[in-house]
Amino acid sequence: MSNPSLPTAYVEAVTALLGPAETEAFLASYDAPRTYGLRFNTLKIPPSSPAAGKLAELFALRPVPWCGTGYYYEESTRPGKHPYHAAGLYYIQEPSAMSAVELLDPQPGQTVLDLAAAPGGKTTQIAAKMAGQGLLISNEIHPQRARILAENVERLGIRNAVVTQAPPPALSARFPLAFDRIMLDAPCSGEGMFRKDPDAISEWSPEAVELCAARQWDILQDAVAMLKPGGRLAYSTCTFNRRENEDTIARLLAEYPFLRLIAEKRIWPHREQGEGHYVALIERDHDEKTPAISAAIANREGADAVRRGGRERNRKRGARSGPSERSAATAWDSFRAWAADELPAFAPPAGGTPLLFGEALYLLPASGGLALTPEHLTGLKVPRAGLHLGDVRKGRFEPAHALAMALSANEAAPRLWTLDAESPLVAAYLRGETLEVPASLRGWHLVTVACGDDQYPLGWGKASGGQLKNHLPKGLRH
């Protein structure tokens, strides 16, 4: 890409930030190749495991300095096309975007919100740090992006995440002062995307920057309302201007004296190997004496009005707005009976609440810091109400793909059918084809792919008569 394609107002803004000499180096970075990165999914593979070593060799990985599980790769190695990607062993993520969650540093057992979460890079990074303990709510207001977010949560085998599709005010009305950690990767003018996506340049203007800053300010009000005393909020963008970054944070600190800036980090593409990112870490006072809800909520409709409006909208749109009246307890018994026969080594996460949406049985995750109940979700669109265990159809239980991806090989043993990563049978399975298996093989089996000295799930198959019927969801076949 050539520098003259950049808007004059944008170049002037960068020059004001960096000075003329460094701006030259910054503009020259647009002629350099973009960077590519992936992050290991430590819910499946520890960084020191044989599987991690195999991936490092296979994709010629080089470490990202600000993320212990992040690595650069060369475009030609195409890890996104490999079966290990389908197995959820890693997440393809721009390297500088990994910096925000590293600064937020969520911990196991905490209650965490990712407020603008799609497509899922930061959600999956948060989930890995939480190690399956605590509660993660991942929200995305746009329907198509929320679906992609839910698919990535599923692919990486995350058990303790709820995916919601809600405007921030609907969440802040339900969850005042609820979260230990909040990640807000705010919608922005995308200046750090120009090298990756030249089309983004045509959408940029000084007016667009102002519109983004106004939207970010509105979302931040709800984020503050949901942050516990002593909690931390990471605010990030993939843009360079001060208006959406330092100026927005300065305004936030002036508006809310109980907030303080802990750290601030910028990544520039001419200084480090990344497309560019900004992140600020904010902490709320521990001993703050505030009302039960923050001032930001006082100017909005109350929780009851939000719930009533949400239910009405969902009824009009035919959306799934809450658990059905069918007995979740009966469905849970069906699952337990199935698991006793098919997955004797699997223990469901402790403390969860079974929820039934139509035929679909979910396990709503538990959190010590937030007593999450089905009522919290009433009136919300919920693409994923925790771990989807399976569906109860005509009195029979059929396991969900999400359950397959959340299992380890040990939990599914001995019901495993393992394929070599280079075998054409892996490609055949991912296309949705039926596989030939020994006639002695019967019942549900977890189809896995070998990596290092372990096996990792791709999905379910059901064996009968020498054939393994493919149960990979049609939308995931390729």
Side-chain angles (χ1 to χ4, degrees):
M1 118 183 258
S2 58
N3 294 339
S5 65
L6 297 171
T8 301
Y10 169 68
V11 175
E12 290 173 350
V14 171
T15 304
L17 273 170
L18 296 175
E22 192 174 358
T23 297
E24 240 182 271
F26 171 79
L27 295 176
S29 73
Y30 282 99
D31 295 321
R34 56 168 286 204
T35 53
Y36 295 86
L38 62 79
R39 184 175 35 75
F40 286 167
N41 177 17
T42 54
L43 296 174
K44 292 179 181 280
I45 54 167
S48 59
S49 66
K54 183 175 178 65
L55 295 179
E57 181 180 358
L58 184 64
F59 302 125
L61 300 180
R62 296 173 291 111
V64 172
W66 48 84
C67 178
T69 56
Y71 297 88
Y72 299 103
Y73 69 87
E74 296 301 321
E75 183 183 10
S76 60
T77 62
R78 305 181 73 194
K81 301 294 184 182
H82 199 280
Y84 292 151
H85 182 264
L89 301 194
Y90 46 83
Y91 186 94
I92 304 294
Q93 187 176 22
E94 195 281 308
S96 59
M98 302 174 188
S99 60
V101 173
E102 292 301 309
L103 201 59
L104 181 63
D105 195 26
Q107 296 297 306
Q110 290 184 332
T111 304
V112 183
L113 171 67
D114 189 356
L115 187 49
K122 292 177 174 64
T123 275
T124 54
Q125 191 174 0
I126 289 167
K129 287 183 173 292
M130 295 176 72
Q133 302 172 46
L135 170 66
L136 170 59
I137 295 181
S138 299
N139 183 66
E140 174 56 48
I141 192 171
H142 300 289
Q144 179 67 11
R145 287 170 59 79
R147 184 184 66 79
I148 294 169
L149 170 63
E151 288 177 355
N152 280 321
V153 166
E154 181 175 272
R155 180 173 61 86
L156 270 69
I158 299 168
R159 300 184 181 190
N160 61 325
V162 174
V163 176
T164 58
Q165 182 199 320
L171 293 181
S172 61
R174 288 165 173 79
F175 301 110
L177 305 177
F179 295 99
D180 301 294
R181 297 286 187 272
I182 296 177
M183 180 72 242
L184 174 54
D185 188 34
C188 69
S189 58
E191 294 164 357
M193 301 288 287
F194 287 179
R195 185 165 64 172
K196 176 182 176 181
D197 179 17
D199 290 341
I201 298 172
S202 62
E203 299 173 8
W204 186 93
S205 69
E207 294 76 19
V209 169
E210 290 302 318
L211 285 172
C212 287
R215 184 186 305 124
Q216 291 152 3
W217 179 250
D218 287 343
I219 299 172
L220 275 167
Q221 310 313 298
D222 291 293
V224 170
M226 292 186 277
L227 189 63
K228 282 182 180 178
R232 291 188 170 188
L233 160 71
Y235 170 86
S236 68
T237 73
C238 60
T239 207
F240 300 120
N241 67 77
R242 288 187 59 91
R243 182 71 180 87
E244 298 177 66
N245 295 324
E246 289 91 347
D247 292 353
T248 292
I249 293 302
R251 182 184 177 190
L252 186 72
L253 299 176
E255 181 79 12
Y256 298 103
F258 52 79
L259 299 179
R260 64 189 181 99
L261 181 65
I262 300 296
E264 210 169 14
K265 180 179 178 66
R266 271 186 180 269
I267 294 176
W268 292 90
H270 65 293
R271 295 178 185 172
E272 298 177 276
Q273 196 174 355
E275 299 304 293
H277 221 66
Y278 168 87
V279 57
L281 184 65
I282 305 293
E283 185 175 72
R284 188 169 191 155
D285 286 349
H286 287 268
D287 57 353
E288 172 203 343
K289 302 296 189 295
T290 58
I293 57 175
S294 295
I297 294 301
N299 296 323
R300 299 185 185 276
E301 296 180 353
D304 289 341
V306 173
R307 291 190 181 101
R308 285 197 303 272
R311 283 198 293 270
E312 180 62 26
R313 285 190 297 273
N314 286 337
R315 279 197 295 271
K316 288 179 179 178
R317 297 174 186 173
R320 183 174 62 198
S321 59
S324 75
E325 294 180 1
R326 291 179 55 192
S327 173
T330 300
W332 178 250
D333 289 342
S334 295
F335 164 70
R336 288 171 62 88
W338 176 87
D341 290 336
E342 306 285 353
L343 294 175
F346 173 67
T353 303
L355 294 180
L356 196 64
F357 289 89
E359 297 177 330
L361 178 66
Y362 287 82
L363 190 63
L364 187 67
S367 169
L370 174 64
L372 186 65
T373 67
E375 286 68 33
H376 281 105
L377 306 182
T378 300
L380 293 180
K381 294 182 180 178
V382 186
R384 190 179 194 271
L387 178 60
H388 184 194
L389 298 172
D391 298 332
V392 181
R393 293 172 178 160
K394 298 179 180 178
R396 292 180 301 181
F397 182 84
E398 184 170 306
H401 181 68
L403 177 61
M405 300 307 293
L407 293 171
S408 67
N410 288 338
E411 289 174 313
R415 296 296 190 94
L416 300 175
W417 186 249
T418 301
L419 305 172
D420 186 84
E422 307 306 321
S423 167
L425 294 176
V426 170
Y429 178 79
L430 293 175
R431 287 194 300 269
E433 297 177 15
T434 295
L435 304 182
E436 291 187 8
V437 295
S440 59
L441 208 67
R442 300 190 64 82
W444 289 98
H445 281 69
L446 187 66
V447 180
T448 62
V449 60
C451 182
D453 58 2
D454 211 338
Q455 303 87 41
Y456 300 94
L458 293 171
W460 292 112
K462 193 172 185 181
S464 178
Q467 291 191 323
L468 189 70
K469 183 180 178 182
N470 197 311
H471 282 262
L472 189 68
K474 290 182 179 178
L476 299 179
R477 298 176 182 183
H478 58 274

